[in-house]
Amino acid sequence: MRSVLVLGGTGEARRLADVLSAVPRLRTVSSLAGRVAQPALPSGEVRTGGFGGADGLAAWLRDEGIDLVVDATHPFASGMTASAAEAAARTGVPLLVLRRPGWHPVEGDRWHWAADVAEAVRMLPDLGSRVFLTTGRQTIGEFAHLDDLWFLARSVDAPAPPVPRGLHVVLDRGPFTFDGELALMREHGVDVLVTKDSGGPMTSAKLAASRALSLPVLLVRRPALPEGLPVVSTVEEAAAWVRGS
């Protein structure tokens, strides 16, 4: 019996856990951060909550006899990825990163890139005044001082203060459709979209809707991965790695 830890919270992580749970003599444990009140649960064992940094994760890997780790967290979960890389190096447990490809502009897109959320905050007032903000509830507070702007924010759970004075929150979970995004933007008179380069099809409809409305899009670039980590972009590649390791 071998054991694999899937650092999850994404659609790819859930699909990977579904595949691996059907592999004979393989124990699959998915770890969720616990930031969403009612997460979509994967197959197999599930643990919720942080590990306590690289030290805690390394100890947990040893205690649980984990043979392999797949980091299938969100592309912006840089802290978890850094801890996973350090813990894997300390314990000698092989680590694979599963990351969906980022988005790429096509004809008609009006994209502006920010290095991080802080830069996006500085750039935003020059791009619009009625903002569709989809960078996640944990970043909404960074926009709280922009009193001259109105925000439509979408997240799975309600954001905690501080929040912008002019804020309307929509609680929803993807995948989203082009027609739905188009209608939402028109209903609220949105004139700029702010989002992260999360990649994948579940939330890409907002980009197509922005293109159709000729709206500027302010995208936050992904944080860089630690050097030297093996990376794949599909669930199938990650499953093959686990089977062959």
Side-chain angles (χ1 to χ4, degrees), residues 11-191:
E12 291 85 3
R14 289 190 294 275
R15 293 198 299 274
L16 179 61
D18 290 344
V19 172
L20 296 181
S21 293
V23 176
R25 299 190 58 76
L26 180 66
R27 174 194 176 207
T28 301
V29 184
S30 294
S31 176
L32 306 181
R35 293 172 179 169
V36 176
Q38 294 182 320
L41 296 178
S43 302
E45 296 181 37
V46 178
R47 70 169 304 280
T48 302
F51 292 95
D55 291 340
L57 178 54
W60 191 90
L61 294 176
R62 294 189 187 100
D63 292 344
E64 292 292 323
I66 298 298
D67 300 292
L68 302 167
V69 178
V70 179
D71 175 9
T73 55
H74 192 276
F76 284 81
S78 56
M80 186 68 254
T81 298
S83 292
E86 186 174 343
R90 290 185 191 178
T91 59
V93 175
L95 168 66
L96 178 75
V97 177
L98 170 58
R99 284 289 184 276
R100 70 185 80 123
W103 290 315
H104 297 282
V106 299
E107 185 177 356
D109 283 328
R110 299 172 56 198
W111 288 11
H112 305 262
W113 289 95
D116 50 29
V117 173
E119 185 175 26
V121 171
R122 294 192 295 270
M123 294 172 62
L124 180 57
D126 292 330
L127 296 175
S129 60
R130 294 187 64 84
V131 185
F132 187 16
L133 182 62
T134 64
T135 55
R137 65 187 176 92
Q138 292 184 313
T139 65
I140 291 175
E142 297 192 45
F143 296 84
H145 64 284
L146 299 179
D147 292 335
D148 293 335
L149 307 184
W150 181 88
F151 290 88
L152 169 67
R154 181 169 62 203
S155 59
V156 176
D157 295 320
V163 297
R165 182 173 61 188
L167 175 68
H168 177 76
V169 177
V170 174
L171 300 181
D172 204 355
R173 187 197 303 266
F176 304 104
T177 67
F178 170 77
D179 289 340
E181 299 289 61
L182 196 64
L184 184 66
M185 292 183 185
R186 283 174 169 164
E187 176 187 355
H188 294 283
V190 168
D191 60 15

Side-chain angles (χ1 to χ4, degrees), residues 103 176 178 181 193 199-211:
W103 290 315
F176 304 104
F178 170 77
E181 299 289 61
L193 168 68
M202 287 188 64
T203 58
S204 62
K206 61 193 171 189
L207 300 174
S210 297
R211 186 185 312 124

